[in-house]
Amino acid sequence: MSVADFQPVIGLEVHAQLLTRSKIFCGCSTEFGARPNAHTCAVCLGMPGALPVLNEKVVEYAVRVGRALECRINPVSIWARKNYFYPDLPKGYQISQYDQPLCEHGGLEIDGEDGPRRIRILRIHLEEDAGKNVHDPGGGDSLVDLNRSGVPLVEIVSEPDLRSSSEAAEYLKALRDVLVYLGVNDGNLEEGSFRCDANVSVMRKGSTQYGTRVELKNINSFRFVQKAIDYEIGRQVELIESGGKVTLETRLFDPVRGETRSMRSKEEAHDYRYFPEPDLPPLRIPAGFVERIERELPELPRAKLHRFTASYGLPAYDAKILVGDRPLADLFEQVQAVYRGPAKKLSNWFLGELLRLMKEEVREVGALRFSPAQFAALLQMVDSGELSNNAAKDVFAEMFRTGRDPREIAQEKGLLQTQDTGAVGAAVDAVLAANPGEVEKYRAGKKQVFGFLVGQVMKAMKGKGNPALVNAALKTKLGD
Amino acid sequence: MSLTLEEVRHVASLARLSLSAEEETLMRTQLSAILDAVAELSQVDTSAVEPTSHAAGEVAPWRPDEVRPSFPPEKALGNAPAEVGTSFAVPRIIE
């Protein structure tokens, strides 16, 4: 028996920060990086008597997420107190939602190992974030910063539908893309605005009985998700093989050692004594609210991907890279609308030169200096034979740096290929006159001499000969 | 008695309360009496009644997503037993 004899069963819980300006229940700023406790007030410090007032943007963003993930939006949902003690939780409870969440029963299509799969979403609920504890590695007190206390979060819980660590990573990426497209989250795992816990269990293949699950925490990068889950699958299989039993517990992923270890918590885990929040009446969604938000939903990544392959005829690989960054996909469409040439050709420029230069100079699409029309004009110059492909790369690099017009750059650098048939004809005449022997050979049937003659003409024209014009002129003059 | 001593100790530890043996017995009696009193409500048939999850007003106003001034950190730390910089300082919580 081995790992191959077991079926992993994985569900993910994702916490995503909603990009509001102010906190969920008070007017304190959500901006990252302020002095500790500079963004706090009576509400998010948990002062007695302070009352929460719900931020309307939070509801709007959460409904956006809910509908984008095909969930039912409950017209009435209930705020609940989740009670536990920790220094980063000033009230001694977190305001969350429990048995009646805002959104339920949705799904997200991903590319599974055997083609597209719909991963079911169990629920999405709203809650407030806790503060941040900092522990000086040298010992001493723990320091508490409550700037994050009360920052709005959605928790998105999937059904245990994922069957491998790579599917889990795929789901996580697809989910992040959706949230970023919706403009409600910045998708940043490293800074903690998008966090993931994984529930992992294994069962023998063919079995219908799920094994005992283990909750994995602290998975703050896409790479770690796969590593942590793979390690945990291996650990559980080994445990079962050797006659042991998996225990229901929370384990922490240690990225340095690449393993998970048990959180030895003195707390009675999961005894949160939820009860309805007395300070907030039920969350009621007004009539027409959901419909309005639905109308304003942008095209989602999955739909865009299908459209890029279907209507532009792009390979899935190209489409996936372009769609992975919404501004990049938008730019592609803007350039293509002007260019109107083969979309694959434009895609090659995006995946090649553009992304290469963007990587070197770490620029976002929004900070690019050239316009879509300039990019399109450059490609048209290549298609019409005014610029060789190599010269176009030079011009592009300059346009990327300066935002100057491609034709102007090409002229200045002397890269334009001449469109002057007279000049081409004269050069061809001169080359033929200078190489009577080669002309003789060609006419005698040695056609491979043609390439040599083209080369001579290009050389005489210092590389500015338009290859199509040169070919045509040579053929005519050689009597072909 | 609807509560066991074991349950009383569990609830006390969740609430971070340290009870003497006498207090545990007293709490068991008092809490059980409360639970028994509330349990009388279960005699009423409520199958056709919508649960009341909130006793106050049913409609709460929402507020626009606007940033309002926060406390200056010095004021936020006014009740702090100890502080380092503008952070609350608490006994170390991890090894």
Side-chain angles (χ1 to χ4, degrees):
Chain A
M1 295 291 265
S2 73
V3 171
D5 300 311
F6 285 83
Q7 175 62 64
V9 176
I10 304 158
L12 295 186
E13 292 173 15
V14 168
H15 285 89
Q17 179 181 337
L18 297 175
L19 287 176
T20 55
R21 284 191 286 268
S22 64
K23 293 185 180 180
I24 181 168
F25 297 124
C26 63
C28 288
S29 169
T30 56
E31 207 181 316
F32 188 76
R35 220 156 42 110
N37 296 302
H39 293 162
T40 59
C41 71
V43 173
C44 57
L45 287 169
M47 299 286 182
L51 288 173
V53 184
L54 182 59
N55 181 343
E56 62 184 9
K57 209 74 182 170
V58 169
V59 184
E60 186 181 322
Y61 284 179
V63 169
R64 246 192 241 178
V65 175
R67 287 307 299 143
L69 296 174
E70 299 167 7
C71 286
R72 184 180 82 197
I73 309 297
N74 290 324
V76 180
S77 57
I78 306 290
W79 297 104
R81 286 192 181 178
K82 179 180 180 178
N83 300 281
Y84 65 95
F85 290 117
Y86 214 56
D88 60 14
L89 195 73
K91 296 192 295 294
Y93 59 85
Q94 176 192 30
I95 302 179
S96 179
Q97 296 190 303
Y98 185 53
D99 56 350
Q100 295 182 62
L102 178 59
C103 320
E104 286 179 286
H105 310 305
L108 175 63
E109 191 181 83
I110 65 163
D111 288 320
E113 293 187 331
D114 316 305
R117 282 193 61 209
R118 185 174 190 267
I119 306 304
R120 290 170 302 152
I121 307 265
L122 175 65
R123 54 183 279 150
I124 304 173
H125 70 251
L126 278 166
E127 62 188 28
E128 56 177 346
D129 206 347
K132 198 177 88 180
N133 299 316
V134 181
H135 318 286
D136 181 355
D141 288 343
S142 292
L143 304 185
V144 184
D145 172 8
L146 296 176
N147 284 345
R148 218 177 57 191
S149 163
V151 162
L153 302 176
V154 277
E155 179 173 338
I156 303 164
V157 183
S158 85
E159 298 273 8
D161 285 352
L162 299 157
R163 292 289 173 267
S164 69
S165 66
S166 62
E167 271 194 4
E170 193 64 33
Y171 165 82
L172 205 58
K173 281 185 194 135
L175 186 58
R176 186 189 61 168
D177 284 352
V178 168
L179 296 182
V180 172
Y181 262 61
L182 293 174
V184 303
N185 179 266
D186 64 15
N188 194 328
L189 267 77
E190 281 71 20
E191 275 178 21
S193 44
F194 184 89
R195 309 196 282 267
C196 171
D197 301 335
N199 289 310
V200 180
S201 68
V202 297
M203 59 184 182
R204 280 187 204 279
K205 281 202 171 143
S207 167
T208 51
Q209 186 72 47
Y210 285 172
T212 305
R213 72 188 155 79
V214 163
E215 188 182 14
L216 299 183
K217 285 194 177 288
N218 195 34
I219 325 184
N220 53 1
S221 86
F222 288 108
R223 210 158 38 88
F224 291 169
V225 172
Q226 250 172 296
K227 271 186 140 177
I229 292 174
D230 281 335
Y231 176 87
E232 185 55 27
I233 291 168
R235 189 189 70 86
Q236 291 185 15
V237 167
E238 209 169 286
L239 197 63
I240 294 168
E241 299 278 72
S242 61
K245 262 196 168 146
V246 177
T247 43
L248 184 72
E249 62 174 345
T250 300
R251 297 175 72 88
L252 210 61
F253 179 64
D254 179 346
V256 179
R257 306 169 86 169
E259 57 185 39
T260 65
R261 59 189 153 75
S262 189
M263 279 175 80
R264 279 158 306 165
S265 168
K266 282 172 241 149
E267 300 238 353
E268 268 99 334
H270 302 301
D271 194 345
Y272 293 126
R273 295 148 292 146
Y274 285 95
F275 65 88
E277 164 62 83
D279 288 345
L280 285 165
L283 171 55
R284 293 182 190 276
I285 305 299
F289 188 86
V290 175
E291 292 72 14
R292 174 176 70 78
I293 286 167
E294 264 173 5
R295 278 196 300 275
E296 292 166 1
L297 281 183
E299 182 183 35
L300 294 173
R302 197 79 186 162
K304 202 183 276 286
L305 192 69
H306 287 314
R307 189 165 60 78
F308 270 47
T309 50
S311 65
Y312 291 122
L314 292 178
Y317 174 83
D318 293 38
K320 211 159 191 177
I321 292 179
L322 293 171
V323 169
D325 180 0
R326 183 177 167 187
L328 190 71
D330 289 346
L331 178 67
F332 178 86
E333 299 207 78
Q334 287 157 5
V335 178
Q336 181 62 23
V338 183
Y339 171 49
R340 293 171 177 279
K344 173 61 183 155
K345 208 164 179 177
L346 179 58
S347 168
N348 288 345
W349 274 87
F350 267 70
L351 270 51
E353 292 307 292
L354 177 61
L355 286 182
R356 185 176 64 77
L357 288 176
M358 282 178 70
K359 204 177 226 168
E360 279 172 15
E361 310 202 12
V362 199
R363 290 245 178 79
E364 302 200 337
V365 171
L368 290 174
R369 299 198 177 98
F370 58 86
S371 70
Q374 287 175 322
F375 199 165
L378 176 68
L379 263 80
Q380 280 161 345
M381 286 164 71
V382 177
D383 287 356
S384 68
E386 286 177 272
L387 268 182
S388 75
N389 221 19
N390 273 335
K393 286 181 184 172
D394 282 351
V395 174
F396 181 78
E398 180 72 16
M399 181 178 91
F400 183 92
R401 252 195 318 277
T402 61
R404 286 175 55 215
D405 199 63
R407 180 168 299 276
E408 202 182 290
I409 298 167
Q411 266 162 356
E412 198 179 278
K413 293 191 171 232
L415 293 170
L416 281 181
Q417 295 173 344
T418 182
Q419 300 300 304
D420 180 350
T421 43
V424 172
V428 167
D429 285 342
V431 165
L432 294 186
N435 297 280
E438 306 300 321
V439 175
E440 217 36 59
K441 280 187 201 161
Y442 181 86
R443 290 197 168 126
K446 226 180 151 206
K447 301 289 183 195
Q448 56 271 51
V449 175
F450 191 75
F452 166 79
L453 293 171
V454 170
Q456 292 301 303
V457 175
M458 294 302 272
K459 199 171 155 191
M461 299 190 72
K462 300 198 169 73
K464 292 182 204 169
N466 177 333
L469 290 182
V470 170
N471 278 336
L474 260 178
K475 288 216 163 148
T476 315
K477 305 238 169 180
L478 286 167
D480 254 14
Chain B
M1 204 92 73
S2 49
L3 267 183
T4 65
L5 263 185
E6 213 32 62
E7 285 170 320
V8 171
R9 291 187 189 118
H10 176 65
V11 172
S13 92
L14 286 173
R16 300 293 188 277
L17 294 174
S18 157
L19 300 181
S20 66
E22 295 79 49
E23 285 170 326
E24 281 172 359
T25 314
L26 182 66
M27 285 303 133
R28 185 184 176 204
T29 315
Q30 293 186 345
L31 288 174
S32 292
I34 294 170
L35 287 176
D36 291 344
V38 173
E40 282 182 29
L41 289 174
S42 63
Q43 293 165 15
V44 183
D45 178 12
T46 56
S47 54
V49 180
E50 203 189 321
T52 305
S53 53
H54 203 268
E58 276 291 274
V59 181
W62 297 350
R63 62 177 183 82
D65 181 26
E66 285 164 7
V67 174
R68 305 273 301 267
S70 297
F71 286 167
E74 295 69 29
K75 189 176 174 191
L77 290 162
N79 296 328
E83 53 193 82
V84 171
T86 58
S87 291
F88 295 90
V90 299
R92 197 169 180 81
I93 46 177
I94 58 165
E95 293 87 48

